[in-house]
Structures are given as structure tokens and as C-alpha cells.
Amino acid sequence: MKKLLVFLLLIVFWLFFCKIIVLNMPITVKDYVWDETESSVHITIPLKGVKSSKADIFSTDDYLKVNYPPYLFEIMLFKPVDDSKGTAQIKDGTIVFNLLKHEPVIWSQLTSPDSGDKELMKSQRQLAIEAAHKKADEEKKEAAIRKREAEKFALQEQMRLDAEERKMIEETKEAERRKATEDIESWKIHGISGKNTETKKKDVSKKDMFKEDEIPPPSSGAAPRQSGSIKVNFTPRVFPTPMRESKKADEDAWLKKQAEARRVADVENSDLSAEEKNPQWLKEKGDGFFKSGNFLAAINAYNLAVRLDSKLPSIYSNRAACHLKLRNFMKCIEDSSKALELLTPPVLANAPARLRSHARRGTAFCEMELYIEGLQDYEAALKIDQNNEKLQEDAEKIRKVIQGT
């Protein structure tokens, strides 16, 4: 009894396995329609309710396959066709092939006599796939060659246009130089000779006058000068010593400290609350405005924080980010430079802040089309983080722009 039960279970498993194999096997399409002329072949294949997007078409000169699971259409053509000139159209639930024959002759049959041989079909399919891959590689190489030739031609044409433009500029400059030289020579000839003639006429008239009167007229002379005074104003100095005895660097540093102290005193004596007089609180307030997209409010908060403490590099760095968003590129460059000046010495702790400042300043330079300066900042940022793919990609784009210009 147990042996019979085991035997029945084996039969059930075998039938289930056979059913899976049968279900997974494709259904060969045989209800296709074809017609021909001496120069072309037309094949119509029904999609049988399958979406056209699921149809996979593969064709060569002597092999044709359409796979739209669970259906499969596969044939070896009776004679070769020109696959490069053939077309396949999907419309009204069918696939229509329009193939051009290599030789204008009536076939009388569509498939090759060897289409029934599965092994031969398999080998022919493999050969067709290899031929298709080889053809695709050749087309890819030809496209690359055509692209290089087009780029080379474009470069030569641009060089020719640049040479013509330089030549035109040089010819214009040469024409202007010749004209200027001719004008000077003409002035030398006509201007000086005319002046000499007038001088001679005056001398002759004076001689004639002396002959008549015998006594030359007395010289009238210039009128005497009037007396006056010139007032000289000197720039007022804070320090009592004269400029020759002063130390300008020390004086400028002292004046800068005094100005900062006055700014802090003005803020501390204002009607602001205790929190609003805290630079760290103002920085956090500006960060909140920046995250919400209110960049002008963020800049106002950072400005007040700078007046209270001008030695915090993060305030300048964050304000530079706001200016970059508002496309105030010069102010972004100034704040980024100030942040980098305060982020000294360069240590591991301030590396992320220095990287952000270099990246923002480089972006601002590039937006102003100062690509060389921008590339220098990006390279400085890459020295801090060599594995940053985004910085590497942006730096490569800037290099291509520089090479192109």
C-alpha cells in the first residue's frame, strides 16, 4: 500500500513538472499572412491581444524573429533581403514587415527548406545574432569616426574664421596707421609752410613800417600780475604725530578695532532684546531663514551678527551662500574670502567649512565667467576632499569650458 502511494505521488509530481514545462514553452505563430512582388516581401503577423510594447523584433538579411510572450514567430527566409532598407510597422494589432529583396525574383515560398531543422535553426539564430552584434559594433565605430571628423572640421572652420577675423583686424589697424602717417606728413608740409609764409609777411610789414617811420614803436609789455593767496587744506589725523613719524599699519589696526568697538556698542545700546544681541542666536536665526528660502531676512540676521562678532567664519560662509542664491556674486566672493581668511590654520576640524567656502567662491567666479579663478577654487576644494565625485565632475566641466574658449 505504501509503495502504491509513493508511486502515485511520483506520477503527480511528474505531471505537474510536465505542465510547468509546457506552460513555459512559447507558442509558435503560424497564422501569419505574406505576399510578394519581384522586388519586395510583405509579412503580416497578428499580435493576438498582446500589447505592442511587449513585442521584441530582431531581423537580419536571412533571419526574422518576433517574440511577444507567450507567442513566438521565427523563420529563416527563403532568400536574403536588404535588412538596412526594410521596415517594421505596428498598427491595428498587427506587425507588418516590408522587406526589399536582394535579387528581383519571385520566391513562391517564404521560409527556407531548412526551417524545420531545430539544430540548424539554432545555429542559424546564433550566427544571425553574432552578425547583428558585429554590424552594430561597426556602425558604432563608423558613427564615432564621423563624430571625430565633424569635430575636427568644426575646429578647423573655427580656426579659419578666427584667422580671417585677425587678418581683418590687422588690415584695419594698418589702414588706420597709414592714414595717421599721411595726416602727419600732410600737416608737416602744409602746416609748417603756411606758418613760415605768415611769419615772412609779418617781417616784411614790420620792415616797411620802420622804413616809413624810422623809429620802431615802443613795446607795450604784459600787464603786472595781481597779488593773491592759495589756501591749502590737509587731511585731519587722529594721531598728533606727523605722518613721517607715524606707524601706519599699527594706526590702521587701532582705528579698525575702534570702529568695531563702536559698532558693537551701538548694537548693545540699542533697543534690541538680550537674544538679539547674541551673535550665535542671530546666526541660528539666519540659518532658519535660509532653510525656509527667505535669503534677504537671513542676510539681515547675519549682518547684525557680524556687527556683534566679526571673528566667526561660519557667519561669513552662510552669508556667502545667501548672496550666491540671490546672484550677488561679488558679495559672495568677498564673504567666502573672509571666511577662508578666518579659517586658519587649515586643520582637519575646519576642513568641511573650507571646502564649502572654496566651492561657493568657485561657483561665483564661474557665474561671472572667470573660469580660471573658479577652477583654482575647485582644485583647492578637491585637495581637501579628493574623493568628492560632484566636485570632480564640476571641475572637469570647467576645464572643458576653458579649453573650448
Side-chain angles (χ1 to χ4, degrees), residues 102-120:
H102 270 300
E103 298 178 357
V105 63
I106 297 296
W107 290 358
S108 300
Q109 63 183 46
L110 179 64
T111 59
S112 171
D114 299 328
S115 296
D117 191 340
K118 292 185 177 179
E119 292 297 327
L120 181 61

Side-chain angles (χ1 to χ4, degrees), residues 42-95:
H42 309 284
I43 308 172
T44 303
I45 304 167
L47 285 176
K48 299 180 181 293
V50 179
K51 292 183 179 180
S52 59
S53 59
K54 294 184 178 181
D56 181 19
I57 299 172
F58 179 77
S59 64
T60 62
D61 288 353
D62 51 7
Y63 174 77
L64 190 64
K65 184 184 79 169
V66 181
N67 184 21
Y68 48 108
Y71 301 100
L72 174 66
F73 173 79
E74 183 182 32
I75 60 171
M76 295 294 299
L77 295 172
F78 181 69
K79 287 189 177 183
V81 297
D82 191 349
D83 184 59
S84 61
K85 296 181 180 179
T87 61
Q89 296 179 348
I90 300 177
K91 59 180 181 178
D92 299 333
T94 59
I95 301 176

